Amino acid sequence: MAGICVTVHAIWGAAGAVLVSATKRDLPIYSVERQEKVCSLTFDAAWGNEDTEQLIEILGEHDIRATFFVVGEWVEKYPESVKQLSDAGHEVMNHSSTHPHMTQLSPDAMIQEVKSCNEKIEKITGKCPTLFRPPYGDYNDSVVSTMRSIDMYTIQWDVDSLDWKDPAPSEIVSRVVKNARNGSIILFHNAAKNTPAALPDVIDGLVEKGFSFVPVSELIYTDGYTMDHTGRQIPNTTDLGSGT
């Protein structure tokens, strides 16, 4: 799995230029370089469950498969919703077991958090998650590299609906539709006040701009890529059409 950005600097001395590599931050995936207008809708589920069924209905009406990043404790509390999401064709991925700040944990503790959540999800869906979204969007090099060591891709976002701040539905729609680009990963929450009201217009607005939708696992590249300084996956070939 690729993901570490390396930049090369030239240092001049008596013997001429000497190339020195400097390793940058090990970044999660924020977006993906894709030729076509395709993006992913993602929803974090950590606390409430007021709107999950309505979100499933809205996405189903538009024939869209999304990615839900769920906390293990949420899985234990709402197993029927996890099954509904999976049965509806949505990806159920990992958002940790207890929603900690991952950067404050040792690598062993990080792995325990993620594996525990994976086991809870797989028990219900029959599918082991391959994607991880850090709680609070909090990560560092250790988080990303530790996830890589257990074959998990760390996923962030490049378009934030800010729905958790309870803006008006029209503000959510404007923010998302305006900022989405090819390969965007868009962040929502399953229990934010105005997300169900905004989501149909978000979808319609993106469709009008020519976007189609795929779950995150079908958007990202799993090999043959590099990462730029913004966390955007760049394929090593000129074929930008396939994410896997």
Side-chain angles (χ1 to χ4, degrees):
M1 295 170 62
I4 298 178
C5 300
V6 177
T7 186
V8 177
H9 303 282
I11 299 178
W12 291 88
V18 178
L19 294 180
V20 179
S21 65
T23 302
K24 291 184 178 180
R25 293 194 68 184
D26 199 356
L27 296 173
I29 301 168
Y30 282 82
S31 66
V32 182
E33 185 69 26
R34 295 289 293 268
Q35 202 164 38
E36 73 275 28
K37 280 193 170 181
V38 61
C39 63
S40 293
L41 303 181
T42 71
F43 299 81
D44 288 359
W47 314 120
N49 194 37
E50 298 85 349
D51 302 323
T52 306
E53 189 168 341
Q54 188 176 0
L55 294 174
I56 293 173
E57 291 175 0
I58 294 168
L59 292 167
E61 289 168 0
H62 291 83
D63 195 24
I64 292 172
R65 290 179 300 135
T67 302
F68 286 74
F69 289 94
V70 302
V71 170
E73 291 177 345
W74 190 88
V75 174
E76 292 178 328
K77 195 171 183 180
Y78 305 109
E80 71 288 347
S81 291
V82 175
K83 188 174 189 309
Q84 286 175 344
L85 287 169
S86 182
D87 289 349
H90 302 297
E91 292 186 330
V92 182
M93 294 295 179
N94 196 310
H95 196 35
S96 80
S97 189
T98 64
H99 208 265
H101 284 276
M102 297 293 285
T103 57
Q104 298 176 8
L105 303 181
S106 69
D108 285 346
M110 293 180 201
I111 290 172
Q112 180 57 39
E113 273 285 329
V114 172
K115 285 191 172 181
S116 175
C117 183
N118 275 356
E119 290 168 1
K120 294 169 185 175
I121 293 170
E122 187 173 15
K123 184 176 180 180
I124 296 172
T125 67
K127 301 173 184 177
C128 186
T130 57
L131 309 179
F132 171 69
R133 173 168 283 165
Y136 312 103
D138 183 23
Y139 73 91
N140 56 18
D141 289 5
S142 181
V143 172
V144 179
S145 63
T146 300
M147 293 304 102
R148 183 181 298 110
S149 76
I150 56 172
D151 296 324
M152 300 287 289
Y153 292 84
T154 304
I155 306 296
Q156 294 282 80
W157 59 87
D158 68 325
V159 179
D160 191 346
S161 68
L162 295 180
D163 56 353
W164 61 275
K165 291 186 174 182
D166 295 338
S170 60
E171 292 181 36
I172 296 174
V173 174
S174 177
R175 177 183 298 276
V176 173
V177 174
K178 177 182 177 181
N179 291 305
R181 59 175 176 158
N182 299 9
S184 277
I185 298 173
I186 303 169
L187 173 65
F188 296 98
H189 296 80
N190 76 309
K193 178 180 177 182
N194 291 321
T195 300
L199 187 57
D201 288 338
V202 166
I203 294 169
D204 289 343
L206 291 173
V207 169
E208 287 176 8
K209 292 181 69 174
F211 282 96
S212 59
F213 306 86
V214 295
V216 174
S217 71
E218 295 179 21
L219 181 75
I220 67 172
Y221 300 101
T222 55
D223 55 36
Y225 69 89
T226 56
M227 299 280 282
D228 73 10
H229 69 282
T230 69
R232 187 169 177 86
Q233 278 191 318
I234 310 295
N236 293 339
T237 69
T238 57
D239 180 12
L240 306 183
S242 176
T244 56

